[in-house]
Amino acid sequence: MNRKLVRISKFLSLVLRHKPERIGLSLDRGGWAKIDELLLKANQAGLSLHKDLLQRVVDSNDKHRFSFSQDRQGIRANYGHSIPVDLDFAPSKPPEFLFHGTATRFVESIREQGLVPRKRNHVHLSPDHQTAIMVGRRHGKPIVLTIQAGRMYEFGFQFFCSTNGVWLTEKVPAEHLLFPEE
Ligand code: HQG
């Protein structure tokens, strides 16, 4: 993604995941914004955004962060929300192991509390080690924890696969985590 597209992607993450009120946008309970309203309000807020550009941001997005609705009238973020939304993903059976990249400074607290969503609605898990390292790097010195997802599933925990392979769950108790030195 070029710089302009990255800037718009960050703006969309802000208003579709966290603060729609920042531009006076309304989202429905599924987290969908009306595209016409988004374009109008983004432009009123000083961002020059039009339909073609929005399409390019959605198509070229490295992590498939956003989706258009089937009727092409709506757009929403696929994961990462802090505002309450009903994403309506069907629970599905996860792979035996999933991964979570975090910063080494959080490890002590994670050993005590397990993984919790903190500001977001879900704990976000990666399908592979490499992706998890990149997620962890956003926070500091990265470390990758392994989640015994298959085992959790058998215990009755629910998992949801977002459209881009990011897995979501409510929490991961410490007994289902493997730390690298173990
Ligand atoms: C940590 C990005 C202390 C957790 C990414 C993480 C992802 C704890 C941080 C998506 C803890 C929260 C989400 C505990 C969890 N004690 N720290 N008990 N439990 N934490 O940003 O997973 O590029 O909310 O390890 O790629 O880093 O925005 O979550 O370090 O897919 O599309 O608390 O966002 O995608 O940080 O990232 P975040 P995340 P985008």
Side-chain angles (χ1 to χ4, degrees):
M1 273 197 297
N2 69 31
R3 246 201 246 161
K4 186 176 176 188
L5 298 188
V6 169
R7 198 162 62 92
I8 294 168
S9 173
K10 289 194 171 175
F11 167 81
L12 292 177
S13 288
L14 176 74
V15 299
L16 297 177
R17 290 173 171 176
H18 308 297
K19 297 190 171 174
E21 73 280 4
R22 186 67 71 83
I23 58 164
L25 183 68
S26 37
L27 306 186
D28 72 10
R29 42 189 295 278
W32 296 101
K34 290 199 183 72
I35 290 174
D36 289 345
E37 186 187 344
L38 171 68
L39 294 178
L40 179 72
K41 294 196 166 154
N43 280 282
Q44 283 170 349
L47 190 79
S48 165
L49 188 58
H50 50 81
K51 249 187 196 151
D52 291 351
L53 198 50
L54 195 62
Q55 177 87 49
R56 277 177 61 203
V57 173
V58 173
D59 289 347
S60 66
N61 208 269
D62 51 349
K63 292 170 75 178
H64 199 62
R65 293 180 174 90
F66 314 105
S67 289
F68 291 122
S69 58
Q70 273 182 350
D71 66 6
R72 312 293 286 180
Q73 305 293 306
I75 183 171
R76 77 171 179 186
N78 293 323
Y79 63 96
H81 299 81
S82 57
I83 48 175
V85 287
D86 181 0
L87 292 174
D88 214 19
F89 293 136
S92 54
K93 187 172 182 210
E96 196 55 30
F97 297 105
L98 285 167
F99 304 90
H100 180 83
T102 187
T104 50
R105 69 179 191 284
F106 295 148
V107 167
E108 202 175 319
S109 161
I110 293 171
R111 276 186 199 280
E112 282 168 19
Q113 302 172 2
L115 288 173
V116 294
R118 303 190 90 189
K119 289 185 187 151
R120 301 192 201 253
N121 299 342
H122 295 99
V123 170
H124 288 61
L125 305 173
S126 306
D128 59 81
H129 199 270
Q130 195 51 39
T131 308
I133 289 180
M134 292 190 306
V135 175
R137 207 168 270 152
R138 293 158 47 252
H139 298 288
K141 188 173 174 221
I143 180 169
V144 175
L145 313 181
T146 302
I147 289 84
Q148 297 176 295
R151 187 161 161 249
M152 283 179 72
Y153 185 75
E154 279 166 24
F155 273 85
F157 287 86
Q158 287 196 329
F159 288 81
F160 305 90
C161 187
S162 172
T163 42
N164 65 344
V166 171
W167 285 83
L168 309 173
T169 195
E170 193 191 326
K171 61 182 173 185
V172 181
E175 65 263 30
H176 298 296
L177 286 169
L178 301 173
F179 295 82
E181 65 275 20
E182 284 172 0

